[in-house]
Amino acid sequence: MPSNTGPSNSAPSETPNHVVEFPGGYTRSVGPVIGRFLSELRDGRLVGVRTAGGRVLVPPAECDPDTGEDVTDEFVEVGPAGTVTTWSWVPDPAKEHPFDRPFAWALIRPDGADTALLHALDLGVFETGAKPPKILKTGMRVRPKYRAERTGTIGDIECFLPEVTMINPRASLEYRLKGGRALGRFLEGISEGRIIGHRCPVCEKVIVPMKGFCPRDGVPTSEEVELPDTGTVTTFAVNNIPDPRAPEVPFVSGYVLLDGAGLTMLTLVAGIPADQVRMGMRVKAAWRPRDEWTHSMSNIKWFEPIDEPDVPFEEIKDFM
Amino acid sequence: MRDVAVVAFAQSHHSGEDQGIAETEMVLPVITEIKERTGLSRFGFTCSGSCDYLQGAPFAFVSALDTLGAWPPISESHVEMDGAWALYEAWVKLQIGAIDTALVYGFGKTSQGDLRAIMNQQLDPYTLAPLGVDQVSMAAMQARAYMDRSGVKEDDLRAVAARSRASGRENPFALHLPDPEGDGYDVAPLHPCDVAPVTDGAAAIVLAAGDRARELCERPAWITGIDHRVEPHALGVRDLTRSASARLAGEKAGAAGIEVAELHAQFSHEELILREALGLDDGVSVNPSGGALSANPVMAAGLIRIGEAASRIHDGTASRTLGHAASGPCLQQNLVCVLSGENNG
């Protein structure tokens, strides 16, 4: 009775003790049709042959596959670009394969041809076992990559490559930015563990971080007010896309109304599962250890909940 | 036309790994069994299917002939194809009328080489074989095209594999493979379970005509239609999402009203393409043996499909069945054999 733990589809692992090969290769005459195809290929051109019915066969064949009639002697240059009609993805190449890293096989219909050519498609460097990349699609546009040294074999095309559809030029400009006087003063406070704002002489609200003016009344501000590092979440968002500034995904970014402030601050809210953050929740700044403080907002890691009753919606509704 | 029936079928207990026995040692018990079952030691004609490349030696079938006892000399032929095509040749020979019985067998030991590299050698030597492309990569392209056209998903293919493997575990001759698991690809979009396992094995069938069939078998499986068709070798000139050759062979063989169909689908998606081509609806029991996805002894797997289909008639569980064999890349060639338990079909 057979007992098998699973299929073994790969080659036997034992070292071969018997080899069948044709030393020096197997000489084949190619005839005028295949010969023309391979000769043109050596010159870097892809040609098909026209059938009596007008179709262009690539690779060329001696006979029309539909009728069996001889093809005409009209050879037509096709491509070089073509369209993938179907594909397969090899995550773990065999030694006979043209790449030792994952690649695709594809049927490619060159422009101007009525049939498709089978060849390898190189989509870049992937680790063994990789899943098919998203750009690999039926209908994708590809072009042959010819070898520099060609000999008149199908391998004169090293592989096909995707057509250029996007470029990604480097863009980098360098600046020397300063925060301005008000922001500089605010960060000075932060570097000492203090949160300071300006009181507006007109509306009397405290603006934090201060800007040196009241955005509501359009007047300069200079009266400093130190605020506690406790506050109330007015509104928030749960983010599922990773961000280098956030500890993990999902993370919560929220508007916190510091006690005594007239304006909310955008910060991270943590220390509680994302789905338990709520409007009106009381929070407190989580400061980094003192010896890690710099002149930056990163001195506050995030705001986390404190054990106080939620603030009613009525009291925060004007700070959304 | 003469009435010709499958009167006996025998197969080896197939193996997924090298059992340390030679091809002839795989074939001999099957030949011995079918001789005992029919009580025949001589046949009007003998035909076999095998492939020299599987063992890397010329004329593999010649040494297998030793298992027959070919003395005094016998009438014999061989196809370098699945044994299903040997059965077709024997059926033609029986139609000519000079003989009343034929022995058909097929065998393949695929565990001793790299089947994918070997099957590359069957490809067009100018534009395909030199690329190193293998049959699984090509089948995966067909699966991709079929999924694009039909909307079938990878999970639908996995369901075919799971059903085949569950049936295979009920079949004492097949490999007993676990339920598919994992999400790794063999060649995407095919997962390992979507690909027929490497298998060593052999099978034999005895055909007989007219009254000779009735003497040899209580309920012969009469061949009411048999046909095989081929498509272009090049994949790029075919509609890979359909099997025109299977459809035509099915029509010519009269594949209608089938209760059980044994399909030589070596990849999950091939079963779906073949069901469509042969017009098999959900009421048809497909591959109750587990099919090639549970045991795929190359050069015997197609013959086994006919044998399994005949067995359902021999044991009275069905009265109209279908055996199918395929050959070449992406179902290039298809053979359909329709069998009936009703006398004279």
Side-chain angles (χ1 to χ4, degrees):
Chain A
M1 201 82 5
S3 67
N4 289 279
T5 52
S8 103
N9 281 314
S10 54
S13 53
E14 283 171 55
T15 312
N17 58 6
H18 175 67
V19 177
V20 176
E21 67 180 354
F22 298 101
Y26 193 105
T27 305
R28 292 181 189 275
S29 50
V30 292
V33 177
I34 306 291
R36 175 71 180 267
F37 173 71
L38 295 175
S39 300
E40 296 277 0
L41 205 55
R42 191 179 55 194
D43 293 343
R45 280 188 299 271
L46 205 49
V47 299
V49 71
R50 202 179 290 285
T51 66
R55 296 208 308 154
V56 175
L57 307 179
V58 179
E62 287 84 353
C63 308
D64 183 331
D66 291 345
T67 64
E69 282 177 45
D70 286 354
V71 293
T72 68
D73 47 17
E74 184 189 349
F75 287 83
V76 183
E77 186 166 357
V78 295
T83 303
V84 170
T85 63
T86 186
W87 53 268
S88 61
W89 174 253
V90 183
D92 191 7
K95 72 177 190 318
E96 293 79 11
H97 287 166
F99 292 96
D100 58 6
R101 54 181 166 80
F103 70 99
W105 293 107
L107 280 173
I108 296 151
R109 191 176 55 242
D111 294 348
D114 294 293
T115 64
L117 173 84
L118 192 152
H119 219 294
L121 181 56
D122 182 9
L123 296 171
V125 178
F126 296 86
E127 281 182 28
T128 299
K131 303 245 170 178
K134 288 215 163 56
I135 70 161
L136 177 54
K137 282 198 177 98
T138 300
M140 79 183 288
R141 297 279 298 162
V142 297
R143 280 178 181 256
K145 176 185 179 187
Y146 283 97
R147 288 184 204 278
E149 294 290 323
R150 297 189 292 269
T151 57
T153 66
I154 190 69
D156 284 352
I157 296 176
E158 188 177 335
C159 61
F160 279 73
L161 295 172
E163 271 200 335
V164 176
T165 58
M166 269 182 279
I167 59 169
N168 183 13
R170 293 278 148 223
S172 170
L173 300 173
E174 295 179 348
Y175 300 88
R176 290 160 299 279
L177 292 182
K178 292 195 172 60
R181 250 178 241 118
L183 185 59
R185 173 71 188 130
F186 174 77
L187 292 175
E188 195 180 311
I190 290 290
S191 73
E192 297 162 357
R194 301 160 64 218
I195 301 174
I196 49 178
H198 277 172
R199 189 184 306 280
C200 170
V202 179
C203 68
E204 300 197 329
K205 287 193 189 303
V206 174
I207 298 145
V208 61
M210 68 271 201
K211 307 166 189 294
F213 58 90
C214 174
R216 180 165 145 163
D217 298 303
V219 296
T221 58
S222 59
E223 183 196 343
E224 285 189 5
V225 183
E226 184 167 345
L227 294 181
D229 64 356
T230 54
T232 304
V233 173
T234 59
T235 185
F236 63 93
V238 178
N239 302 265
N240 287 290
I241 296 170
D243 186 295
R245 291 163 296 186
E248 59 189 13
V249 171
F251 66 90
V252 177
S253 50
Y255 282 96
V256 169
L257 182 65
L258 290 179
D259 296 336
L263 207 68
T264 55
M265 273 174 44
L266 180 61
T267 90
L268 293 175
V269 176
I272 182 172
D275 61 357
Q276 291 177 28
V277 176
R278 55 201 184 268
M279 293 164 85
M281 189 175 81
R282 295 286 293 154
V283 292
K284 186 177 195 316
W287 294 83
R288 288 186 194 282
R290 176 93 217 206
D291 57 358
E292 292 176 19
W293 286 1
T294 63
H295 274 70
S296 103
M297 271 311 281
S298 65
N299 291 2
I300 295 176
K301 280 193 294 184
W302 52 65
F303 279 73
E304 48 192 39
I306 49 177
D307 189 19
E308 286 181 15
D310 285 6
V311 173
F313 179 75
E314 275 303 306
E315 290 178 31
I316 54 172
K317 70 177 169 40
D318 295 335
F319 299 96
M320 299 294 153
Chain B
M1 297 284 269
R2 294 180 84 198
D3 297 333
V4 172
V6 173
V7 296
F9 166 56
Q11 61 181 317
S12 58
H13 287 104
H14 312 308
S15 170
E17 52 201 33
D18 193 334
Q19 300 286 80
I21 57 174
E23 282 79 358
T24 48
E25 293 169 320
M26 263 175 11
V27 173
L28 180 63
V30 175
I31 301 293
T32 304
E33 181 186 338
I34 209 155
K35 281 180 177 172
E36 284 170 4
R37 294 250 303 274
T38 55
L40 296 175
S41 57
R42 306 287 292 173
F43 302 89
F45 178 61
T46 296
C47 196
S48 61
S50 69
C51 174
D52 295 352
Y53 278 83
L54 293 179
Q55 61 173 308
F59 306 113
F61 74 99
V62 172
S63 52
L65 278 174
D66 289 348
T67 66
L68 301 175
W71 185 267
I74 62 170
S75 168
E76 189 269 347
S77 182
H78 172 258
V79 297
E80 191 81 0
M81 279 187 89
D82 191 286
W85 275 266
L87 181 139
Y88 185 85
E89 184 176 335
W91 177 82
V92 170
K93 200 91 165 172
L94 285 158
Q95 291 302 329
I96 293 169
I99 53 158
D100 290 332
T101 60
L103 169 67
V104 181
Y105 63 99
F107 61 96
K109 190 176 172 199
T110 53
S111 67
Q112 58 198 344
D114 179 347
L115 185 62
R116 295 179 191 193
I118 290 169
M119 295 305 272
N120 167 273
Q121 295 294 314
Q122 77 173 328
L123 300 175
D124 149 35
Y126 309 107
T127 63
L128 285 179
L131 292 172
V133 66
D134 62 277
Q135 52 173 354
V136 181
S137 295
M138 290 188 288
M141 285 195 277
Q142 182 178 38
R144 176 80 266 149
Y146 174 70
M147 290 160 73
D148 282 348
R149 195 262 291 170
S150 66
V152 157
K153 305 290 182 209
E154 288 177 22
D155 280 349
D156 299 314
L157 303 189
R158 185 184 294 260
V160 171
R163 200 208 67 239
S164 298
R165 287 178 165 205
S167 299
R169 292 193 294 267
E170 301 295 312
N171 175 358
F173 302 99
L175 308 191
H176 291 173
L177 303 173
D179 279 331
E181 56 185 27
D183 64 352
Y185 288 112
D186 186 326
V187 176
L190 297 177
H191 297 277
C193 65
D194 297 316
V195 179
V198 163
T199 314
D200 297 348
I205 276 177
V206 172
L207 295 180
D211 288 341
R212 198 79 179 96
R214 294 179 193 96
E215 284 167 32
L216 290 168
C217 182
E218 199 174 314
R219 189 172 148 86
W222 299 101
I223 296 174
T224 63
I226 184 167
D227 197 271
H228 60 110
R229 300 279 156 169
V230 63
E231 296 174 50
H233 183 78
L235 305 186
V237 306
R238 289 195 242 158
D239 175 359
L240 290 179
T241 71
R242 292 178 171 82
S243 180
S245 54
R247 180 181 52 74
L248 196 53
E251 280 172 20
K252 298 288 180 188
I258 299 299
E259 296 153 67
V260 175
E262 282 282 343
L263 305 180
H264 186 198
Q266 299 179 73
F267 302 93
S268 302
H269 69 277
E270 288 187 351
E271 180 183 307
L272 303 179
I273 291 174
L274 290 167
R275 277 175 183 259
E276 188 179 313
L278 296 172
L280 305 175
D281 61 32
D282 290 345
V284 179
S285 168
V286 172
N287 288 347
S289 69
L293 289 172
S294 279
N296 186 36
V298 175
M299 301 297 144
L303 185 66
I304 290 168
R305 304 280 76 75
I306 298 173
E308 291 280 3
S311 296
R312 309 284 156 172
I313 288 173
H314 292 162
D315 66 15
T317 52
S319 52
R320 193 165 168 80
T321 65
L322 179 155
H324 160 265
S327 184
C330 294
L331 296 172
Q332 185 197 359
Q333 313 191 38
N334 289 280
L335 180 151
V336 175
C337 179
V338 177
L339 300 157
S340 171
E342 306 308 317
N343 197 356
N344 300 332

